[in-house]
Amino acid sequence: MTATRIITVSSGKGGVGKTTFALNFALTLSRIAPTVLIDLDTGTSSVRNTLDTHIGNDLYHFFRKGHRLDDCLTQLDDRLDPRGMFKNFAFIAAPRHAIDEITNLADQARWRLVHAINSLPARFVILDLRAGLDANVLDFLPLSNSGILVFTPHHPAATMAAGDIVKSLLFRKLRFIFAEDSPFYHDVSDRHMHRIVNDLLDDVEDVYEDRLPNLDAFLGDLLASIGQNQYLDAIADVINSFGVYFVLNMFDGVDESYDNAIRPFIEYLTKYVSAQLNLTNLGWVVHDQAIHRANCNRRPILLNPVGRSDRPAVDPVLAELAKLEQTLVGLPSRPTPAIKNAWRDEVLHIDPHQPLHRELEVLQQMYKSQGRMKIQDNFAYIANRALHVIQSLPAESFGHPKLYTPFEIFQHLFPNQPNL
Ligand SMILES: Nc1ncnc2c1ncn2[C@@H]1O[C@H](COP(=O)(O)OP(=O)(O)OP(=O)(O)O)[C@@H](O)[C@H]1O
Ligand SMILES: [Mg+2]
C-alpha cells in the first residue's frame, strides 16, 4: 500500500459543514483506497449521530480501556451499504457522551493518539476536527499547509476564522524555527537576533499593531535593515511553500460565493498574513436540503441508494473521477527555482488583487465543468482534485504524511542536529 495521507478537515468556526463534508469526502475516497474517518470533535460525537450503524468500540475504549486504535474501527452495516460499495470505509467514533478527559485531551493522551493514528492500516485518514483553535485542533493540523478548510458564503465570520487558522499555523511554524533553543542560531554571531526576529513576529501577529501588518511587510523590514541572509530565506520559504486548501460548503452561485467567502478570505490573508501563500480552491458542495435531510436520517447523502431504473452501468463516482482527471483547473504546480526566488523582487511590490482575479477564474471554470453535476459528484470532484494534489506535489504540501509530536517537529525541522 502506498504511504498513508492524513487529511484534516477544519473551519475555525462551528456549523459550516465540516462533519458533513468529512464524512462524504471519506466515503468518496474509500472508493479509491482504504479510508478511515476519525471523529476528533470528541465532545459532540457528531459522526456517530450522522451514521445509523452499530458501533462497538470507540475512542472511549482507546483512552479508557487501553484498546488499540485499530480495534476501535467501525464499518458500515449492510443496511447502510447494501451493495458493499463502501467496504473500504471505516470510522472511529468519538465517545457516546462527552467525557471531560477525552474532550480536553492532556498532552500525553494526545501524543498516544497521534502515534496510533500514524499506524492505522489505511491509505487515507480523514480527521474531522472541532471548531476553535485550541491545542486539540492545532496539534492535529499540518505544519506546512492548511489541510482542508471548510467555509461557507452563508457564514461570513467563519471565513475569517478559517483565515485565523492559516495565520496560527504559519506563526506556529515560525515560532518553532525561531525559538530560543533553535539550532538555527548556532551559526549566527549576532546574539540579539533571536530577540529582534521574535519582537517583529509579535508585531505582525498583533492585528491591533499596524506598523507591520503582515509577514510580507515583516520580510521587507528585515530585508531593508539587515540585508539578505539565512533568516530571510527560511521565513520566505515557510511562507512561499505554505499551501492553503479550501472547500466551499452550502454553495449557491459563483457571485455569492466569490463576494461572501472567497474575496473576504483572500483579502484577510493578504492583509494580515501574506500575499505569497499558495491558494487552492478544491471545489464546492451545493446548499441542498437533501444533504441536511440525509444527515438527519443518519444516512449521509453519499449512501443514498441510486434508484433501480436509473442505476448506471458504470459507477458514477468512479466515472466522474475519470472524467474530471481531464478537466482539472487551477491546481498549484511545483514551485520552480525561479518562482522560489521571485519573492525577493515581489516582497516590496505586491499586487494584492492578483490572487483574487485568479480565484474568480478558478471558480468560474469550476462552475462550467461542475455546474450541472449531481450532489454526490461534488464530492467526487473535490476528491479528484485532492488526489491530483497528492500525486503531483511533495507529501508535505497537502495534509500530513504522518502526524508529529512537538519534539518530532523539531527533529523534522532540524534533521542534522546531533544534540537532538
Ligand atoms: N451543503 C449543505 N446543504 C444543506 N445543509 C447542510 C449542508 N452542509 C451541512 N448542512 C447542515 O448544516 C448543519 C451543520 O453541518 P455540520 O454538522 O456538518 O457542520 P460542522 O461544521 O461539523 O458543525 P460543528 O462545528 O458543530 O461540528 C447540519 O444541520 C447539516 O445537516
Ligand atoms: Mg462537526
Side-chain angles (χ1 to χ4, degrees):
M1 199 189 301
T2 19
T4 300
R5 189 65 65 99
I6 301 163
I7 304 170
T8 53
V9 176
S10 64
S11 70
K13 274 249 186 298
V16 300
K18 288 180 295 298
T19 301
T20 305
F21 170 73
L23 185 46
N24 288 290
F25 180 61
L27 285 166
T28 307
L29 286 176
S30 75
R31 304 303 316 282
I32 312 287
T35 301
V36 172
L37 170 70
I38 308 182
D39 187 352
L40 287 183
D41 191 355
T42 44
T44 61
S45 35
S46 40
V47 171
R48 74 189 301 143
N49 290 330
T50 318
L51 280 170
D52 183 16
T53 207
H54 170 76
I55 294 168
N57 295 338
D58 58 28
L59 285 176
Y60 167 86
H61 300 86
F62 174 77
F63 285 115
R64 279 277 180 91
K65 301 287 176 190
H67 282 253
R68 290 166 52 107
L69 194 59
D70 53 7
D71 282 342
C72 303
L73 292 165
T74 303
Q75 287 197 282
L76 300 179
D77 64 29
D78 292 347
R79 280 175 308 116
L80 281 186
D81 183 22
R83 285 192 284 151
M85 288 169 68
F86 298 96
K87 285 276 177 252
N88 274 333
F89 171 81
F91 68 100
I92 297 174
R96 213 173 306 148
H97 302 289
I99 297 172
D100 186 49
E101 76 185 49
I102 300 179
T103 304
N104 303 302
L105 292 177
D107 285 352
Q108 212 185 0
R110 193 155 59 245
W111 307 139
R112 186 176 155 234
L113 180 60
V114 158
H115 286 302
I117 290 174
N118 287 334
S119 331
L120 281 173
R123 169 77 179 88
F124 303 113
V125 175
I126 309 301
L127 305 182
D128 179 20
L129 296 174
R130 70 176 70 161
L133 261 182
D134 60 27
N136 285 308
V137 173
L138 282 177
D139 283 346
F140 289 99
L141 287 168
L143 212 57
S144 312
N145 66 85
S146 65
I148 297 184
L149 301 173
V150 178
F151 51 85
T152 158
H154 301 275
H155 205 334
T159 306
M160 301 304 134
D164 278 336
I165 291 187
V166 174
K167 186 173 174 184
S168 300
L169 289 176
L170 265 169
F171 277 84
R172 184 165 173 261
K173 183 161 182 183
L174 290 171
R175 300 271 185 208
F176 260 111
I177 293 177
F178 299 111
E180 195 147 20
D181 52 349
S182 159
F184 203 84
Y185 299 108
H186 287 183
D187 305 331
V188 180
S189 50
D190 185 346
R191 307 305 309 152
H192 303 297
M193 192 52 93
H194 164 257
R195 226 358 327 120
I196 295 171
V197 173
N198 281 280
D199 284 351
L200 289 176
L201 279 175
D202 287 345
D203 275 0
V204 184
E205 200 168 16
D206 179 353
V207 289
Y208 295 96
E209 172 62 67
D210 47 358
R211 193 181 74 78
L212 279 181
N214 63 20
L215 289 168
D216 301 327
F218 162 70
L219 272 179
D221 213 53
L222 274 184
L223 186 62
S225 60
I226 59 178
Q228 185 58 46
N229 74 9
Q230 57 177 323
Y231 291 92
L232 298 189
D233 285 338
I235 305 168
D237 221 46
V238 168
I239 301 166
N240 282 332
S241 59
F242 195 90
V244 179
Y245 299 88
F246 59 95
V247 163
L248 288 168
N249 187 29
M250 309 192 200
F251 175 90
D252 45 18
V254 168
D255 289 345
E256 196 196 342
S257 296
Y258 178 73
D259 286 337
N260 296 343
I262 291 183
R263 184 146 57 121
F265 181 60
I266 293 177
E267 280 174 353
Y268 178 92
L269 290 180
T270 307
K271 191 164 173 199
Y272 296 115
V273 187
S274 165
Q276 307 295 317
L277 307 168
N278 300 306
L279 301 165
T280 302
N281 180 347
L282 289 172
W284 66 67
V285 178
V286 288
H287 189 218
D288 198 307
Q289 278 311 309
I291 295 178
H292 181 62
R293 267 198 315 276
N295 286 345
C296 295
N297 294 334
R298 304 179 67 204
R299 180 185 277 271
I301 192 83
L302 249 280
L303 298 178
N304 278 343
V306 180
R308 257 184 198 291
S309 55
D310 55 0
R311 186 199 294 175
V314 184
D315 174 62
V317 173
L318 289 183
E320 203 52 57
L321 284 174
K323 196 176 107 223
L324 283 167
E325 194 79 66
Q326 321 295 319
T327 58
L328 289 168
V329 287
L331 288 170
S333 53
R334 255 175 218 277
T336 61
I339 291 175
K340 274 194 135 187
N341 289 328
W343 71 271
R344 276 182 210 128
D345 304 326
E346 284 175 12
V347 76
L348 300 170
H349 310 101
I350 288 158
D351 171 6
H353 300 296
Q354 197 250 344
L356 279 173
H357 286 310
R358 198 172 54 230
E359 285 307 317
L360 183 59
E361 257 169 49
V362 169
L363 206 55
Q364 279 164 348
Q365 286 184 51
M366 273 185 188
Y367 194 68
K368 274 189 213 147
S369 60
Q370 201 187 2
R372 285 185 304 278
M373 279 185 193
K374 289 184 299 205
I375 298 170
Q376 284 87 339
D377 297 331
N378 290 167
F379 297 101
Y381 184 90
I382 295 165
N384 194 44
R385 284 171 69 84
L387 287 173
H388 184 88
V389 172
I390 287 171
Q391 279 156 12
S392 57
L393 295 180
E396 65 279 6
S397 307
F398 176 61
H400 311 255
K402 163 180 191 298
L403 294 171
Y404 292 117
T405 62
F407 179 68
E408 289 166 333
I409 291 175
F410 219 71
Q411 282 180 315
H412 189 68
L413 287 171
F414 305 104
N416 300 322
Q417 286 304 310
N419 52 340
L420 284 177

